[in-house]
Structure formats: C-alpha cells, structure tokens
C-alpha cells in the first residue's frame, strides 16, 4: 500500500533549537513530525542517549497514529513503555487513550512526568510492573516495540542492570505475550515495530505494513478463530 509520509519538521531546527513543549505538541497535533532530539530533550538527561536504540522514533509514532485514527482504535497498551515516549507522543498525535506497562520504576516516574509536562495525563497512564505479574486493562490494541530484545543485548547496550535480563527471561516473556494475544478478544489490534521475537498467532491478519521506516512497522487484527 502507498501512503503519504508525514513531513519531517526539520524547519523547527534552524530557527528554534529549543522549542517549548507546547510547540512540539502543536507540531505533533497538526501531523508534523519533529526531529527526535527536539522531543527527547524533555526526557531526563540520562534517558536521551538510549533513545535512538530503545525508544520509538517520532516518524513511527506518526505512522502508527495515522493507522490508529483510520481504524477508529480508542485504546492502546504499550507493553514495555520505557520513559513514555511512544505513549505521550502518540496521545499528542491523535485522540486515543494510551496505557504503558513498564518494569523499571525510574522509567515509570519519567513517563508520568513526561505525560504531565505535555498535558496528556487525562489520556495517558502508566502501570509499574512486569508482564505476567501486573494486571492489564482491557484495550483495543497492543503496541510492542521489540520489548524483550534487551534481554539478548550485551551489557553496554542494556539500559541498566536493575532488572533480571537474559535468554531465559526472553523466552518466558515471549510465551506470556503470545498467550495474551491468543486470549485477546476478536477484533483486537496488534502493532509491532521491529517485531517482538515471537510468533503472531494464526488468527491475526496483517492489515497494514510500512517497510520504509528504520524498522518494519506492522499492524494486525485478530479475526474469528
Ligand atoms: C525497546 S523499549 C520500548 C519503550 C517504549 N515502548 C517506546 O517505544 O518508546 C522496551 C521497554 O520494555 C520494558 N520491558 C521489557 N520487558 C518487560 C516486561 N516483561 N514487563 C514490563 N516491561 C518490560 C523495558 O524495561 C524497556 O523500557
């Protein structure tokens, strides 16, 4: 499918290298995609560096927001939400509600601060907990940006050593998310950016794909089993 690409808001850079949260929010609301560092500067200093590897790029947020709006999706759960970049930028880019699940408390604290700073606290919330242990809200869509991949990275590329990481955890988390997808209601959507390491259950049909982003973004919908 050919789709129009959101313009990259490079014009913000030369004239204003330090736009306010209101300006960045206005750009996202009007379908303009700022360069990532203009958004990342609102994260705590130590969480800006990991952004290019660990947090969703704004161009991906914009494409996913377009699909979410086209399909009338009202609620999304970001499994492994980090410091909230996807949830907050996606809320600014559309009308849906976003919940993030995150295992690291310091990232949940940063995510709540980010939502407050951008004034989207009424449509964005974060749960501190691990997949499989935390109670999850009923949602119309799941978003997965390869959340378990960090388990397989070398120590320098991992975010920190505050949580259990490793091949065994990776396998366990994939089993849990596959079960979650199997048990989801008919009609549930799944968005994956750079996959999640597991298999999308067979009753999910691919409804959108963008291969022109840094990694592949796909959207699936669960049909009748
Ligand atoms: C690749 S980052 C994605 C962050 C965010 N979704 C975004 O796109 O900007 C993955 C995040 O998932 C979290 N995570 C990984 N496994 C998890 C689990 N089993 N339960 C909760 N959070 C998890 C990590 O702590 C990390 O913050």
């Amino acid at each position: 499918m050919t789709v129009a690409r959101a313009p990259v808001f490079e014009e913000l850079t030369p004239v204003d290298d330090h736009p306010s949260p209101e300006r960045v929010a206005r750009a996202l609301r009007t379908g303009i995609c700022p360069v990532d560092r203009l958004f990342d500067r609102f994260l705590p200093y130590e969480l800006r560096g990991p952004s290019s590897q660990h947090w969703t790029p704004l161009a991906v947020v914009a494409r996913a927001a377009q699909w979410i709006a086209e399909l009338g999706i009202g609620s999304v759960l970001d499994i492994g939400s980090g410091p909230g970049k996807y949830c907050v930028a996606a809320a600014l880019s559309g009308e849906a509600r976003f919940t993030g699940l995150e295992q690291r408390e310091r990232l949940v604290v940063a995510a709540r601060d980010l939502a407050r700073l951008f004034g989207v606290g009424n449509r964005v919330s974060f749960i501190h907990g691990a997949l499989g242990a935390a109670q999850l809200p009923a949602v119309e869509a799941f978003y997965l940006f390869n959340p378990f991949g960090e388990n397989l990275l070398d120590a320098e590329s991992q975010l920190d050593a505050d949580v259990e990481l490793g091949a065994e955890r990776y396998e366990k988390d994939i089993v849990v998310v596959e079960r979650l997808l199997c048990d989801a209601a008919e009609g549930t959507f799944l968005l994956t950016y750079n996959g999640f390491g597991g298999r999308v259950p067979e009753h999910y049909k691919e409804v959108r794909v963008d291969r022109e982003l840094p990694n592949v973004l796909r959207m699936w919908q669960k049909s009748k089993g």
Side-chain angles (χ1 to χ4, degrees):
M1 182 195 308
T2 311
V3 276
R5 180 157 297 283
V8 175
F9 203 27
E10 283 286 359
E11 312 92 82
L12 262 178
T13 321
V15 288
D16 184 358
D17 211 23
H18 294 86
S20 63
E22 291 73 24
R23 247 195 110 201
V24 171
R26 202 172 332 117
L28 288 167
R29 270 194 212 102
T30 51
I32 291 168
C33 184
V35 290
D36 282 276
R37 66 186 173 77
L38 297 184
F39 187 92
D40 294 344
R41 19 187 303 275
F42 299 111
L43 295 171
Y45 182 77
E46 69 281 5
L47 297 178
R48 297 175 199 168
S51 183
S52 60
Q53 182 175 12
H54 292 280
W55 322 138
T56 301
L58 293 177
V60 176
V61 175
R63 174 65 68 238
Q66 180 197 335
W67 295 349
I68 286 168
E70 283 169 7
L71 293 160
I73 295 168
S75 56
V76 180
L77 174 65
D78 179 8
I79 297 178
S81 48
K85 181 176 178 182
Y86 171 75
C87 288
V88 170
L92 291 168
S93 308
E95 304 295 323
R97 309 181 73 82
F98 294 83
T99 306
L101 170 71
E102 173 54 50
Q103 61 184 348
R104 289 176 163 104
E105 190 172 12
R106 71 182 177 108
L107 299 187
V108 174
V109 170
R112 288 180 180 145
D113 287 347
L114 192 70
R116 212 172 299 121
L117 179 73
F118 278 99
V120 289
N122 57 336
R123 282 190 296 120
V124 178
S125 59
F126 295 95
I127 300 167
H128 175 218
L131 181 68
Q135 183 143 7
L136 303 180
V139 287
E140 293 170 34
F142 296 108
Y143 175 69
L144 296 170
F145 171 19
N146 198 16
F148 317 122
E150 185 191 356
N151 283 288
L152 307 180
L153 298 178
D154 49 35
E156 303 88 82
S157 303
Q158 291 174 346
L159 289 166
D160 56 42
D162 294 354
V163 292
E164 175 203 342
L165 292 170
E168 205 178 311
R169 174 97 196 271
Y170 180 76
E171 300 298 337
K172 239 170 37 194
D173 278 344
I174 286 173
V175 169
V176 176
V177 92
E178 284 179 350
R179 195 175 320 122
L180 181 72
L181 295 173
C182 283
D183 293 345
E186 191 187 318
T188 299
F189 289 92
L190 166 66
L191 277 149
T192 61
Y193 180 55
N194 199 21
F196 68 96
R199 280 188 42 237
V200 176
E202 62 175 329
H203 297 305
Y204 283 77
K205 303 272 175 292
E206 189 176 277
V207 292
R208 298 278 192 285
V209 62
D210 189 330
R211 292 190 174 80
E212 288 173 24
L213 295 162
N215 290 293
V216 183
L217 178 69
R218 297 177 195 276
M219 183 181 253
W220 319 73
Q221 187 175 26
K222 189 172 183 185
S223 56
K224 226 189 217 114

